[in-house]
Amino acid sequence: MDIHAKLRELNLELPKVPAAVAQYVPALRSGNQIYVSGQLCTREGHLIAQGPVPTAVSLEEAQAATRQCVLNALAAVDQAIEGDWSMFVRVVRLAVYVNSHADFNLQHKVANGGSELLGELFGEAGRHVRAAVGVSSLPLGATVEAELLVEVR
């Protein structure tokens, strides 16, 4: 699989792996699975969305922020497999945490931003189980955080 070619088709690229903001590693391989730590919606070291949905950030902006979280998570996978995407089998799970106003209940639509990207990139191998959870705050005031679990050979 040439994920980089598919990303280019979508006018995207994997960013540098974001630096950890606490005491953890971005991704860890255990057997045939890679667990990716929660990735914030950062681009070039800066949050692209801050605050709760929908009062500070629109649904559409939150979906784009989720896509960025997933790109950051895929960059961590890329680092863990040393760029050898022939090792990739499938996406297993996506968990999306949404900084939500008390009355907001469309976290599943925010999470779709990441799920749709995984489908565009990997087709059937991008279909996954998912959690979409509303929370009262996230690290650094981020709007979205996502974690990923992938299966590799």
Side-chain angles (χ1 to χ4, degrees):
M1 145 164 278
D2 186 356
I3 187 174
H4 299 285
K6 189 64 177 175
L7 285 164
R8 279 191 299 276
E9 284 179 31
L10 299 171
N11 289 321
L12 298 170
E13 64 181 52
L14 291 182
K16 285 185 169 182
V17 177
V21 297
Q23 193 61 29
Y24 61 90
V25 295
L28 181 67
R29 183 173 180 166
S30 179
N32 68 338
Q33 296 183 323
I34 296 176
Y35 295 83
V36 180
S37 293
Q39 298 294 311
L40 299 178
C41 51
T42 57
R43 185 180 300 133
E44 298 177 2
H46 302 284
L47 288 170
I48 63 168
Q50 268 184 297
V53 182
T55 52
V57 177
S58 72
L59 174 61
E60 294 76 18
E61 291 169 322
Q63 289 170 327
T66 304
R67 284 176 69 94
Q68 187 63 48
C69 292
V70 168
L71 282 172
N72 293 342
L74 292 173
V77 171
D78 188 65
Q79 185 177 67
I81 60 175
E82 299 177 345
D84 182 3
W85 283 88
S86 68
M87 297 174 66
F88 174 82
V89 175
R90 71 170 303 109
V91 177
V92 176
R93 182 175 190 267
L94 173 65
V96 178
Y97 305 93
V98 182
N99 184 345
S100 301
H101 183 269
D103 295 333
F104 184 72
N105 63 4
L106 299 175
Q107 290 82 6
H108 60 290
K109 291 190 180 236
V110 173
N112 281 347
S115 293
E116 290 168 1
L117 176 61
L118 292 168
E120 290 175 67
L121 289 172
F122 302 115
E124 187 62 28
R127 291 179 51 92
H128 52 274
V129 298
R130 184 177 87 182
V133 181
V135 298
S136 62
S137 68
L138 287 168
L140 307 176
T143 297
V144 183
E145 180 176 356
E147 59 183 49
L148 195 63
L149 174 62
V150 301
E151 181 183 351
V152 293
R153 289 176 183 52

